[in-house]
């Protein structure tokens, strides 16, 4: 197992239950995966009990219906202890190569031989910023969701927030009270109804799994990219502080320039434009990639049946990038690995 965030731990839980011999190699110095790095005010978009890994429900956070990121990191740390998961850290995996046994996993702490490999490295290490003309000419500060910590760092400034997903909405809302904020989105943002939270997105993913098992397509009322109207997002939206502007054509030295020539001078631009799967460790295998993804059937790599990719989003299983969703795909992946290992000459 490469990666000891929520996906790695969920797979560890099922590997333990299957009685397989395994190790989880994690490059981080502390448990918690990406949750250690999120901004201070971030809240989960579902209550604790709907944000649980298999086996042990996340305990609620005192005084908070929607737990914060520190609470999740503490839960993940307790989870790996509870199930005595063999996590070794910090161990950074440089590359996976084929061997007679299956694979050799090369790391900065030595090499491991493995009959199967699960890659669960997440995407936090690969922030994505789109190509925008003039991006280098802007003289203000540019950062990504990756580098955003707290609104007070921007107090009194003019800030452009780019991105119409949950991160963009939440960061724009976070900033709105202390900074003059302009929120820029490619499409008009789509908010879930106020009385619906992230549970609806998981419910949608479940319906899609069932529909596709029955050979149907399920469109649903919500989309997995919809914005959950968390308390702060709702408050900012209702006060008119969260009006979205169309995307600009280029950046000038002082800020965005729209196609009609209008401009907005600002001190900082925050790119809430997502992440890409971190697949670097697989490079030595030379697997075919399509648009930054390795073709899979579920979690299993098409060209390499002993390799599974876990937790990267719908591509590797509906809602598999969520705490509650990753368990389902982890269970299937481990079942397939167990079948493969226990079937001689598979
Ligand atoms: P990570 O948590 O990123 O863990 C990957 C681990 O692999 C890390 O510890 C890393 O150090 C390690 N690693 C990477 N490369 C290597 C290597 N080469 N060798 C060894 N180790 C390596 N989900 C929810 O369910 N509810 C929410 O409310 C929610 N809110 C979110 C808000 C934001 C802003 C973001 C960005 C995401 C949110 N998510 C939410 C999604 C969720 O946080 C992520 O999908 C999840 O953390 C991914 O888990 P993971 O285990 O796949 O990856």
């Amino acid at each position: 197992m490469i990666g000891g965030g929520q996906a790695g731990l969920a797979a560890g839980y099922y590997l333990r239950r299957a009685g397989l011999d395994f190790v989880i190699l994690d490059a981080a110095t502390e448990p918690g995966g990406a949750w250690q790095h999120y901004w201070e005010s971030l809240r989960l978009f579902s209550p604790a009990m709907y944000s649980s890994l298999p086996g042990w429900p996340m305990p609620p956070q005192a005084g908070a219906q929607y737990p914060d990121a520190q609470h999740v990191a503490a839960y993940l740390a307790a989870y790996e202890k509870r199930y005595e998961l063999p996590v070794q850290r910090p161990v950074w995996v440089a590359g996976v190569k084929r061997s007679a046994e299956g694979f050799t996993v090369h790391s900065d702490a030595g090499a491991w031989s493995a009959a199967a490999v699960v890659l669960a490295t997440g995407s936090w290490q690969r922030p994505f910023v789109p190509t925008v003309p003039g991006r280098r000419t802007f003289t203000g500060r540019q950062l990504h969701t990756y580098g955003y910590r707290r609104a007070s760092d921007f107090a009194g400034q003019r800030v452009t927030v780019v991105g119409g997903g949950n991160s963009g909405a939440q960061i724009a809302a976070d900033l709105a009270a202390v900074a003059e904020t302009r929120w820029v989105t490619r499409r008009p943002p789509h908010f879930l109804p106020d009385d619906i939270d992230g549970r609806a997105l998981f419910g949608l993913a479940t319906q899609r799994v069932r529909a596709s098992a029955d050979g149907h397509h399920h469109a649903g009322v919500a989309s997995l990219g919809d914005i959950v109207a968390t308390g702060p997002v709702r408050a900012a939206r209702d006060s008119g502080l969260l009006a979205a502007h169309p995307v600009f054509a280029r950046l000038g030295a002082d800020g965005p320039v729209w196609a009609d020539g209008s401009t907005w001078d600002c001190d900082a631009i925050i790119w809430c434009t997502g992440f890409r799967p971190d697949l670097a460790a697989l490079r030595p295998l030379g697997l075919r990639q399509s648009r930054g993804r390795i073709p899979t059937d579920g979690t299993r790599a098409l060209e390499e049946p002993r390799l599974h990719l876990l937790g990267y989003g719908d591509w590797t299983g509906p809602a598999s990038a969520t705490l509650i969703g990753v368990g389902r795909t982890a269970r299937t992946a481990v079942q397939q690995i167990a079948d493969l290992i226990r079937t001689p000459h598979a």
Side-chain angles (χ1 to χ4, degrees):
M1 173 80 53
I2 305 172
Q6 63 194 41
L9 300 189
Y13 171 86
Y14 286 112
L15 285 164
R16 170 75 83 223
R17 284 212 332 187
L20 294 173
D21 185 19
F22 68 101
V23 65
I24 301 175
L25 306 176
D26 189 31
T29 50
E30 302 292 331
W35 293 100
Q36 301 170 77
H37 308 294
Y38 294 159
W39 63 92
E40 290 168 4
S41 70
L42 179 132
R43 297 276 163 183
L44 280 185
F45 47 64
S46 312
M49 67 176 300
Y50 295 94
S51 307
S52 302
L53 292 183
W56 181 43
M58 180 189 291
Q61 181 172 17
Q65 189 190 6
Y66 298 96
D68 61 21
Q70 292 81 355
H71 184 75
V72 182
Y75 165 68
L76 296 182
Y79 186 93
E80 62 182 60
K81 269 204 189 128
R82 183 184 180 98
Y83 293 110
E84 297 178 347
L85 298 178
V87 187
Q88 299 206 14
R89 62 168 69 88
V91 177
W92 175 72
V93 173
V96 178
K97 294 186 178 162
R98 291 186 186 83
S99 70
E101 278 202 48
F103 301 105
T104 306
V105 176
H106 296 271
S107 82
D108 57 2
W112 275 264
S113 183
V117 164
V118 179
L119 191 81
T121 49
S123 53
W124 182 251
Q125 303 299 330
R126 286 202 58 209
F128 170 76
V129 176
T131 308
V132 173
R135 197 158 92 73
R136 287 173 196 274
T137 59
F138 177 61
T139 53
R141 184 175 171 204
Q142 292 188 58
L143 66 160
H144 186 272
T145 309
Y146 181 89
Y148 179 75
R149 287 289 160 273
R150 62 192 74 78
S152 59
D153 293 345
F154 300 88
Q157 297 187 10
R158 284 158 70 96
V159 184
T160 305
V161 177
V162 185
N166 278 288
S167 307
Q170 285 196 28
I171 290 180
D174 199 34
L175 287 164
V178 301
E180 199 181 331
T181 306
R182 185 169 280 207
W183 185 31
V184 170
T185 66
R186 203 147 40 98
R187 286 181 224 99
H190 190 256
F191 293 91
L192 280 172
D194 289 359
D195 55 344
I196 290 182
D197 62 23
R199 282 171 281 187
L201 300 183
F202 182 69
L204 173 69
T206 304
Q207 287 163 4
R208 287 204 176 135
V209 171
R210 291 197 184 125
S212 104
D214 294 342
H216 300 120
H217 171 71
H218 185 285
V221 289
S223 145
L224 295 172
D226 286 354
I227 296 167
V228 179
T230 58
V233 167
R234 203 159 53 227
R237 184 199 63 196
D238 294 348
S239 334
L241 295 171
L242 210 52
H245 296 259
V247 82
F248 44 84
R250 64 181 178 86
L251 279 174
D254 299 320
V257 181
W258 278 266
D260 64 2
S262 60
T263 58
W264 198 67
D265 296 352
C266 64
D267 302 292
I269 298 176
I270 305 180
W271 300 96
C272 303
T273 41
F275 296 83
R276 295 292 180 260
D278 185 352
L279 309 177
L282 301 182
R283 233 173 258 142
L285 294 176
L287 298 173
R288 184 166 49 88
Q289 288 202 14
S290 163
R291 294 194 298 158
R293 298 172 175 190
I294 289 173
T296 57
D297 175 13
T299 58
R300 184 163 47 190
L302 284 182
E303 287 182 87
E304 194 58 81
R306 291 170 177 264
L307 171 68
H308 287 255
L309 293 99
L310 189 65
Y312 298 100
D314 281 356
W315 157 51
T316 52
S320 71
T322 64
L323 284 153
I324 196 165
V326 71
R328 180 162 49 200
T329 40
R331 188 178 57 213
T332 312
V334 169
Q335 184 60 57
Q336 291 176 353
I337 290 169
D339 290 348
L340 187 128
I341 287 176
R342 288 173 182 148
T343 310
H345 312 301

